[in-house]
Amino acid sequence: LELRRERTEHEQSRELLRQSQRLADVGGFAYDPETGELLWTDQTYDLFGLSPETEVDVDTAVDFYTPESRSIIEPEVDRLLEEGGAYDLELDAVTADGERRLVRTIAEAQRENDETTQIVGALQDVTEQHRDRRLQEWQGAFFEWIATGAPIDAVLDEIARFAEEELSGATVSILK
């Protein structure tokens, strides 16, 4: 009876964790450096555009990051393995279907006897929040340019530049 009660409590805790991750739109992962096993939650699979049945390993996971972001995360993972600690990074990634995303990744090393036994962490797609923040900053600058009487050509050039950045691959021209 005691084992059944413990198993029920464990399953209830796991379900609560799954619901919390789904509501917060946060994925999780755990990596065991001894076995090389990498576990992802369903939200992590969703973030990278994969089905939960897809087998992933560390190399597969790191390959979702752009080369620039890989050059940041790989040394951080090595540091966690060697020294422990934690990291909190925002990195560019590309999903399985080619969509570029900004991913916040937080990880922490679990250690025993000066050895990292596991790395656990969370992932969240922060693309929209970042885009909204940039838009608000840009709007503030736009209104400042107007208020200070900036030359219209300079303002229009900035509008075109911003639009091209936000609409990756687009070319914007303004006819005067």
Side-chain angles (χ1 to χ4, degrees):
L1 289 175
E2 182 65 26
L3 283 174
R4 182 180 291 160
R5 184 189 63 73
E6 287 178 13
R7 190 170 61 226
T8 301
E9 287 177 359
H10 180 72
E11 284 301 315
Q12 288 173 338
S13 295
R14 289 182 64 155
E15 182 57 28
L16 177 62
L17 179 60
R18 275 193 286 273
Q19 289 176 351
S20 298
Q21 288 180 337
R22 182 181 52 76
L23 291 170
D25 200 21
V26 173
F29 67 90
Y31 171 64
D32 182 334
E34 185 175 320
T35 65
E37 183 178 24
L38 176 65
L39 300 174
W40 278 2
T41 64
D42 288 350
Q43 288 77 17
T44 303
Y45 283 99
D46 286 345
L47 189 149
F48 291 113
L50 297 174
S51 73
E53 293 79 34
T54 307
E55 289 191 34
V56 293
D57 58 22
V58 172
D59 292 332
T60 305
V62 170
D63 283 346
F64 282 106
Y65 292 98
T66 63
E68 301 83 22
S69 291
R70 267 184 249 146
S71 70
I72 297 168
I73 196 168
E74 287 173 335
E76 286 295 314
V77 171
D78 290 343
R79 182 181 60 78
L80 293 187
L81 291 170
E82 293 173 20
E83 303 169 14
Y87 65 71
D88 185 343
L89 305 166
E90 286 189 357
L91 302 169
D92 290 312
V94 180
T95 66
D97 58 359
E99 189 175 351
R100 193 172 179 108
R101 309 304 297 167
L102 183 62
V103 177
R104 182 175 183 201
T105 176
I106 303 169
E108 179 178 74
Q110 307 294 310
R111 295 177 58 88
E112 289 180 17
N113 302 321
D114 292 329
E115 297 273 330
T116 297
T117 57
Q118 188 175 46
I119 296 175
V120 295
L123 299 159
Q124 185 176 31
D125 182 348
V126 294
T127 307
E128 294 305 317
Q129 293 95 320
H130 181 73
R131 187 173 289 141
D132 290 347
R133 188 171 53 244
R134 286 193 64 226
L135 180 58
Q136 288 174 348
E137 290 169 1
W138 187 84
Q139 285 174 333
F142 176 74
F143 288 123
E144 184 177 323
W145 295 329
I146 291 171
T148 59
I152 191 68
D153 287 347
V155 173
L156 292 174
D157 286 344
E158 285 299 314
I159 291 171
R161 185 185 58 75
F162 179 79
E164 285 177 344
E165 287 176 10
E166 290 303 309
L167 304 169
S168 58
T171 301
V172 176
S173 63
I174 298 173
L175 301 174
K176 302 173 196 175

